[in-house]
């Protein structure tokens, strides 16, 4: 499974070397949104930059041949600051991407050539592990929207389910952040779906008693562009 990868949170002097050495086997690095030294690690403004970079690249790929759905599988990897600072990334991107932390102590503080090289080696190693976990989680998403289209909660419109949709968001977020095992993720998604309100025909019922009929296919990304014909995390 080839995935599109966007990296976040690397300082400028580490970022350039990491990008040069990022392997192309099964992953395409579509960008890395570097941070300037001395700035706060993750802010809403920085999350906007990450979102805009992803949206620009994915929209360009779609516009190149909008009649043929692109094979977009988006993973956002971010350098873990070991705090809650990355919450803004999840809030901005929602469940349109698999967002996974990469933990490499000392990567932000690296200054000398040896320190930077050590940080880059650690980033490459941990990125590979994170991508393996992301592929497993994406496999579950694929199965849900292709084989359980009328039963999955992943295709529900967020605006029509209000606070109840937070359970869906939190399920995907926790699975990504903790690299949850695929089978556990599958079970939790179905538990969340079971808790959502339904009518007598087992169709999901949103706010104002609107019954949601699942589409025959995933018809669009809620966030990354109006003509995205496939869900970024799933196709």
């Amino acid at each position: 499974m080839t995935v599109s990868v966007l990296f976040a949170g690397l300082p400028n002097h580490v970022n350039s070397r990491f990008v040069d050495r990022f392997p192309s086997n099964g992953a395409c690095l579509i960008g890395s949104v570097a941070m300037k030294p001395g700035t706060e690690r993750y802010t809403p403004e920085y999350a906007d930059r990450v979102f805009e970079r992803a949206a620009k690249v994915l929209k360009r790929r779609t516009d190149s041949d909008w009649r043929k759905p692109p094979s977009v599988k988006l993973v956002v990897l971010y350098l873990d600051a070991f705090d809650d600072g990355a919450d803004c990334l999840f809030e901005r991107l929602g469940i349109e991407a698999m967002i996974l932390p990469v933990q490499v102590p000392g990567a932000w503080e690296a200054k000398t050539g040896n320190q930077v090289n050590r940080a880059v080696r650690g980033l490459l190693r941990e990125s590979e592990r994170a991508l393996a976990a992301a592929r497993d989680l994406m496999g579950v998403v694929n199965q849900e929207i292709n084989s359980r289209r009328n039963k999955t909660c992943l295709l529900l419109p967020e605006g029509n389910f209000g606070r109840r949709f937070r359970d869906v968001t939190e399920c995907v977020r926790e699975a990504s952040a903790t690299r949850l095992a695929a089978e556990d993720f599958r079970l939790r998604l179905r538990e969340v779906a079971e808790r959502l309100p339904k009518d007598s025909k087992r169709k999901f019922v949103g706010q104002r008693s609107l019954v949601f009929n699942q589409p025959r296919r995933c018809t669009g990304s809620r966030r990354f562009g109006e003509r995205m014909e496939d869900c970024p995390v799933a196709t």
Side-chain angles (χ1 to χ4, degrees), residues 151-172:
K151 298 178 181 179
T152 186
C153 55
L154 290 174
L155 296 179
L156 297 176
E158 182 176 357
N160 288 350
F161 284 80
R163 293 182 179 179
R164 293 183 181 275
F165 195 80
R166 292 179 186 175
D167 290 342
V168 181
T169 303
E170 285 303 311
C171 180
V172 176

Side-chain angles (χ1 to χ4, degrees), residues 57-71:
V57 173
L58 296 181
K59 187 176 186 301
R60 184 168 63 244
R61 290 186 175 187
T62 304
D63 286 346
S64 64
D65 188 355
W66 63 268
R67 292 161 298 185
K68 180 181 179 181
S71 180

Side-chain angles (χ1 to χ4, degrees), residues 134-146:
R135 289 187 179 95
D136 288 344
L137 296 174
M138 286 177 169
V140 174
V141 174
N142 257 324
Q143 292 171 6
E144 284 287 304
I145 70 165
N146 290 317

Side-chain angles (χ1 to χ4, degrees), residues 163-192:
R163 293 182 179 179
R164 293 183 181 275
F165 195 80
R166 292 179 186 175
D167 290 342
V168 181
T169 303
E170 285 303 311
C171 180
V172 176
R173 173 176 176 171
E174 181 181 355
S176 300
T178 63
R179 303 184 189 179
L180 195 65
E183 186 58 30
D184 291 336
F185 181 38
R186 181 181 293 105
L187 291 174
R188 292 191 187 185
L189 276 174
R190 295 182 184 184
E191 288 172 358
V192 169

Side-chain angles (χ1 to χ4, degrees), residues 207-220:
Q207 296 176 342
R208 298 182 299 279
S209 299
L210 293 174
V211 177
F212 182 66
N213 291 311
Q214 299 281 25
R216 286 178 295 177
R217 59 172 295 171
C218 183
T219 55

Side-chain angles (χ1 to χ4, degrees), residues 17-18 21-23 102 104 119-129:
R17 294 198 191 183
F18 173 75
R21 295 180 59 183
F22 191 86
V102 172
V104 182
V120 169
R121 288 195 298 270
L123 287 164
L124 293 171
R125 181 179 61 252
E126 294 304 315
S127 295
E128 184 176 350
R129 293 174 180 172

